[in-house]
Amino acid sequence: MTRLTGSALRVTVYIGENDTWHHKPLYTEIVHRAHAAGLAGASVFRGIEGFGASSLIHTSRLLSLSEDLPVAVVIVDTETRVREFLPQLDELITEGLVTLDDCEVIRYAGRDGTRDASRGRTGTKGKKSL
């Protein structure tokens, strides 16, 4: 497990929900490659409305025919590790936008790894774990 606290780099990949890589969703391929590269974390967020270079507005509103909603894949790790991963994004992305942002990470985790169901997170009741 990668532990990360302090300065980091966040890469956000903006693509369409229907973008694919070898008949799989592109966002899935990006997340799996980030995991295989050992990066600290990646998440996919589905937008409810947006537009990009095409200037077409994509929306999830009931009467809309659009199903190609915006998707953001967010990856956070050290600057070195993120920059080493960028060539893989070059290979995967033919249309989209990638942004890089400096950020600071504060990672919270329990010391003994037990799960506290009453709080919905890892930690030991009554003990502070920072």
Side-chain angles (χ1 to χ4, degrees):
M1 172 185 280
T2 303
R3 293 193 180 264
L4 180 64
T5 300
S7 295
L9 192 63
R10 176 180 54 222
V11 58
T12 306
V13 181
Y14 299 94
I15 55 177
E17 181 178 34
N18 292 340
D19 292 347
T20 60
W21 175 260
H22 295 201
H23 310 292
K24 292 190 315 190
L26 178 57
Y27 57 83
T28 297
E29 183 66 19
I30 294 169
V31 168
H32 285 261
R33 286 193 184 199
H35 184 260
L39 296 179
S43 297
V44 178
F45 300 94
R46 184 178 188 229
I48 58 172
E49 190 165 16
F51 70 94
S54 71
S55 294
L56 294 173
I57 294 179
H58 301 275
T59 179
S60 64
R61 283 182 280 158
L62 186 61
L63 298 176
S64 172
L65 298 176
S66 175
E67 293 181 11
D68 188 22
L69 294 172
V71 172
V73 182
V74 180
I75 301 167
V76 177
D77 207 315
T78 64
E79 180 174 1
T80 301
R81 293 174 66 85
V82 166
R83 291 199 182 276
E84 288 171 355
F85 184 70
L86 291 179
Q88 292 202 51
L89 295 179
D90 290 340
E91 177 188 344
L92 294 172
I93 299 170
T94 56
E95 187 176 332
L97 176 70
V98 175
T99 61
L100 299 172
D101 301 290
D102 292 323
C103 62
E104 187 171 340
V105 173
I106 302 171
R107 183 180 183 277
Y108 294 96
R111 291 189 179 148
D112 64 358
T114 60
R115 184 142 179 101
D116 180 356
S118 68
R119 294 189 302 181
R121 58 184 169 187
T122 304
T124 304
K125 242 183 191 174
K127 291 185 181 177
K128 192 170 186 175
S129 57
L130 291 181

